[in-house]
């Protein structure tokens, strides 16, 4: 489901500090080795590290569990050519998962500027230092019946043009990815799961294609 409700951040080289857990709360903050934008015309220097942090809350009450998290990411994009096509990439997300007996529900939302879509810094700007906004969300629910789990997932990722000039230059820019999935997962043994899934996927461009 990468790009259909969330942005894949890849395996970043990073250094983090995580606080001790207090009443279910924990905070992780750190720096990561910045990566260059993908599918953009603006080359980016790696003069300063990227910054990221995550606040998480984990609580169990009886057989029920609640997990809530929010994270933020920031990286400077600097034009090595000295043309002044610089911009900042910033994103924030919020998610929650509820485990209620055999039922598990999850909701998630992200909003970003200059981060792009599908993968980190993919299509994040117009090549002239103007950041593109993006957002997305997904919902998922599963229910366990004996050794079989039934699930449904729906996710949407959207990407905006940076400005009118960007819309004129790239009318067929990706506008949205949407995916709906139904799945059945049967634990035949502890090490073998049989599954079947059905997905309906649609990708649309800003020009209607």
């Amino acid at each position: 489901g990468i790009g259909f409700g969330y942005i894949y951040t890849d395996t970043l080289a990073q250094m983090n500090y995580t606080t001790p857990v207090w009443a279910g709360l924990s905070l992780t903050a750190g720096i990561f080795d910045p990566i260059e934008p993908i599918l953009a015309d603006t080359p980016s220097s790696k003069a300063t590290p990227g910054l990221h942090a995550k606040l998480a809350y984990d609580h169990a009450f009886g057989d029920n569990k609640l997990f809530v998290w929010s994270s933020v990411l920031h990286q400077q994009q600097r034009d090595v050519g000295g043309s002044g096509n610089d911009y900042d990439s910033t994103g924030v997300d919020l998610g929650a998962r509820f485990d209620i007996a055999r039922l598990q529900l999850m909701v998630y939302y992200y909003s970003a500027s200059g981060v792009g879509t599908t993968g980190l810094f993919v299509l994040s700007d117009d090549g002239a230092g103007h950041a593109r906004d993006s957002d997305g969300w997904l919902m998922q629910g599963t229910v366990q019946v004996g050794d079989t789990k039934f699930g449904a997932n729906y996710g949407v990722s959207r990407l905006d043009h940076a400005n009118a000039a960007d819309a004129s230059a790239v009318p067929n820019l990706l506008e949205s990815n949407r995916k709906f999935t139904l799945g059945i997962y049967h634990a035949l043994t502890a090490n073998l799961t049989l599954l079947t899934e059905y997905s309906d996927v649609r990708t649309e461009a800003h020009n209607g294609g």
Side-chain angles (χ1 to χ4, degrees):
I2 293 174
F4 295 88
Y6 74 98
I7 295 175
Y8 180 58
T9 60
D10 211 332
T11 51
L12 302 173
Q14 56 192 277
M15 294 175 59
N16 301 314
Y17 171 75
T18 300
T19 67
V21 178
W22 181 78
L25 279 172
S26 64
L27 174 67
T28 298
I31 59 176
F32 64 91
D33 186 26
I35 60 177
E36 295 181 357
I38 303 172
L39 302 179
D41 297 328
T42 305
S44 175
S45 65
K46 303 171 67 174
T48 59
L51 307 174
H52 59 188
K54 181 178 74 174
L55 181 66
Y57 175 72
D58 196 354
H59 180 66
F61 42 100
D63 294 332
N64 304 321
K65 296 180 180 179
L66 171 65
F67 181 62
V68 181
W69 74 94
S70 179
S71 57
V72 62
L73 174 146
H74 176 78
Q75 178 181 312
Q76 295 178 341
Q77 309 287 3
R78 296 296 175 256
D79 184 3
V80 296
S83 301
N85 297 333
D86 303 337
Y87 65 99
D88 290 340
S89 298
T90 303
V92 61
D93 68 3
L94 176 65
R97 193 189 76 210
F98 308 89
D99 294 354
I100 307 172
R102 298 177 180 271
L103 181 66
Q104 185 179 93
L105 301 173
M106 189 269 291
V107 293
Y108 173 80
Y109 173 78
Y110 74 88
S111 178
S113 176
V115 175
T117 189
T118 304
L120 200 58
F121 311 133
V122 175
L123 299 173
S124 57
D125 81 311
D126 64 349
H130 303 115
R132 291 169 174 159
D133 294 338
S134 59
D135 71 324
W137 57 272
L138 61 87
M139 301 174 62
Q140 178 171 294
T142 64
V143 60
Q144 187 80 33
V145 181
D147 293 331
T148 305
K149 179 183 288 187
F150 301 87
N153 172 288
Y154 183 74
V156 179
S157 287
R158 294 182 291 247
L159 179 67
D160 296 333
H161 281 112
N163 48 40
D166 189 23
S168 177
V170 194
N172 63 337
L173 179 71
L174 170 69
E175 181 178 22
S176 66
N177 281 329
R178 303 173 186 270
K179 182 177 73 70
F180 172 67
T181 298
L182 292 173
I184 303 174
Y185 315 87
H186 178 71
L188 191 64
T189 69
N191 300 311
L192 178 61
T193 298
L194 305 180
L195 67 92
T196 180
E197 289 184 337
Y198 167 80
S199 289
D200 181 78
V201 182
R202 183 173 181 83
T203 294
E204 295 183 358
H206 278 273
N207 64 356

